[in-house]
Amino acid sequence: MPGCMKTSDPEPTDNKKFVIGFSQVGSESDWRIANTKSMTETFSNDPEYEFVMENARQKQENQFASVRRFILDGVDLILIAPTVEEGWQTVLQEVHDAGIPVIIMDRSVAVWDNNLYLTNIGSNFLGQGKKAADWLAKETSDDEQVNILHLQGTIGATAQIMRTKALEDAVKEHSNWVISSQLYGDFTEAKAYEVMTDYLKENSDIDVLYSENDNMTFGAMRAFDEAGITYGKGGRVKIITFDATKEALQYCMDGKVDLCVECNPLFGPQIKELIQQYRNGEQIPKQVYVDEQVFESKDLDRDFIDKREY
Ligand code: AHR
């Protein structure tokens, strides 16, 4: 019947779809979930593309297996959000030899031949850490010792390496700043809660918590609450957190978190644009940084938080 279309009509079998294999880090954080959503919404709703995502559950060997499967399947392009920077040379060489282009997203890879990928798009993690350190310099006096407790994400991930470097560099420049301890939180709330709970049994002399992502911050806040340690405006510990998810911004507006450094996960559309440019034979930049800012309580209001997409 004219105008009537069965919902079960088969999809047009135009085999010209551009097939993307995507190896995602995992689902360790709210940031990651927002990033996966941005990627799937961008590509799954576009009939020009077939988008195959595999979740590596934070294990690099799972990523290697996915990438090798994508090669065997003959995908048109491989997207990788690498868990850690090291160890990619061999598998990227295999992709290169198979003639498949690669885009590295979110974090980076440490390979000696950067012709093994088209571009690297994601955050300027060092810049994020520097913004945090600059803020702390303004908020503290040079005359008093500042004890910083440092919660680290997955060791070897660009987000961890660069945020840590920014802090360690700043500590070298401020003789009164001390990193009292570096605890391993793996970017997850559960791990951060566990290590913080343990740490607070013996230690309480903390002026600043520098937490490399929001989910670890949430775990730390729970541990502080249980240990009776106050934080935020009017509290004992200043909290600096990375990502600026909706929940963290809410805490910041309420005065429980002092600084949210934004890490923008919503770059699916930007990746699609880069792929489009590549397919059109245009030159694409080797490194693309996404736009990001920092937030204090005074920068936030209800309307802004309600509209926040992640
Ligand atoms: O690589 C981005 C980082 O990884 C985000 O800060 C964190 O939340 C995520 O797990």
Side-chain angles (χ1 to χ4, degrees):
M1 275 167 69
C4 175
M5 205 167 114
K6 285 183 282 155
T7 49
S8 57
D9 271 350
E11 290 195 355
T13 45
D14 170 12
N15 285 333
K16 296 261 181 329
K17 282 192 178 201
F18 190 85
V19 183
I20 298 177
F22 173 37
S23 172
Q24 175 61 295
V25 168
S27 36
E28 74 282 4
S29 62
D30 296 341
W31 185 98
R32 186 67 54 198
I33 289 161
N35 180 248
T36 297
K37 187 162 175 263
S38 171
M39 297 301 292
T40 47
E41 281 179 1
T42 301
F43 291 103
S44 306
N45 295 331
D46 187 333
E48 252 192 66
Y49 289 93
E50 185 177 326
F51 188 68
V52 184
M53 189 190 95
E54 295 202 6
N55 180 330
R57 294 184 174 73
Q58 283 184 280
K59 292 210 168 9
Q60 190 184 35
E61 61 264 32
N62 291 342
Q63 299 206 284
F64 293 162
S66 293
V67 169
R68 290 187 169 119
R69 250 191 313 275
F70 294 148
I71 297 175
L72 286 176
D73 292 347
V75 301
D76 296 303
L77 184 139
I78 296 178
L79 266 171
I80 304 171
T83 48
V84 291
E85 288 193 354
E86 297 293 336
W88 286 97
Q89 184 72 35
T90 305
V91 76
L92 287 187
Q93 188 64 55
E94 289 170 30
V95 185
H96 191 255
D97 294 347
I100 300 172
V102 171
I103 290 181
I104 305 295
M105 57 163 280
D106 167 24
R107 303 171 183 174
S108 309
V109 289
V111 287
W112 51 264
D113 180 3
N114 71 2
N115 288 318
L116 294 178
Y117 58 88
L118 293 175
T119 185
N120 186 178
I121 172 170
S123 293
N124 179 347
F125 295 112
L126 186 64
Q128 292 174 356
K130 283 185 175 161
K131 287 180 202 165
D134 289 348
W135 176 86
L136 188 58
K138 279 194 265 142
E139 291 295 309
T140 51
S141 132
D142 287 345
D143 310 330
E144 286 166 27
Q145 178 160 321
V146 180
N147 294 324
I148 305 167
L149 178 59
H150 180 191
L151 255 180
Q152 294 181 294
T154 308
I155 302 298
T158 316
Q160 176 277 316
I161 295 172
M162 292 303 177
R163 289 168 184 166
T164 293
K165 177 174 166 39
L167 177 64
E168 290 176 345
D169 287 350
V171 166
K172 282 182 207 143
E173 282 165 21
H174 295 85
S175 53
N176 59 322
W177 291 13
V178 176
I179 299 179
S180 351
S181 208
Q182 291 182 311
L183 305 179
Y184 177 56
D186 204 16
F187 286 129
T188 70
E189 184 166 343
K191 185 74 189 160
Y193 172 71
E194 179 194 316
V195 295
M196 284 292 295
T197 302
D198 222 45
Y199 182 78
L200 295 176
K201 282 180 190 150
E202 307 280 338
N203 307 277
S204 59
D205 195 7
I206 306 160
D207 300 309
V208 178
L209 173 73
Y210 181 95
S211 166
E212 288 180 357
N213 88 342
D214 286 350
N215 289 86
M216 293 195 297
T217 303
F218 305 150
M221 286 163 72
R222 196 143 53 91
F224 279 142
D225 288 339
E226 289 172 12
I229 294 176
T230 56
Y231 49 85
K233 285 210 181 332
R236 244 169 76 193
V237 182
K238 289 187 200 312
I239 297 188
I240 297 173
T241 186
F242 291 83
D243 284 354
T245 56
K246 197 171 188 150
E247 192 176 349
L249 290 180
Q250 179 67 55
Y251 284 130
C252 186
M253 190 171 82
D254 296 346
K256 294 197 156 252
V257 160
D258 296 275
L259 185 74
C260 286
V261 183
E262 186 175 40
C263 183
N264 178 1
L266 308 178
F267 48 87
Q270 237 176 306
I271 291 188
K272 188 164 145 189
E273 231 176 272
L274 288 168
I275 293 176
Q276 213 50 62
Q277 287 169 4
Y278 162 75
R279 294 177 70 192
N280 294 338
E282 294 165 34
Q283 190 76 26
I284 59 175
K286 202 75 201 177
Q287 176 73 60
V288 179
Y289 288 129
V290 295
D291 288 338
E292 291 164 339
Q293 51 182 314
V294 295
F295 302 96
E296 291 176 71
S297 183
K298 63 177 168 57
D299 306 316
L300 297 163
D301 61 33
R302 184 67 286 131
D303 190 47
F304 182 82
I305 293 178
D306 285 347
K307 289 196 180 118
R308 188 78 169 165
E309 283 181 61
Y310 69 101

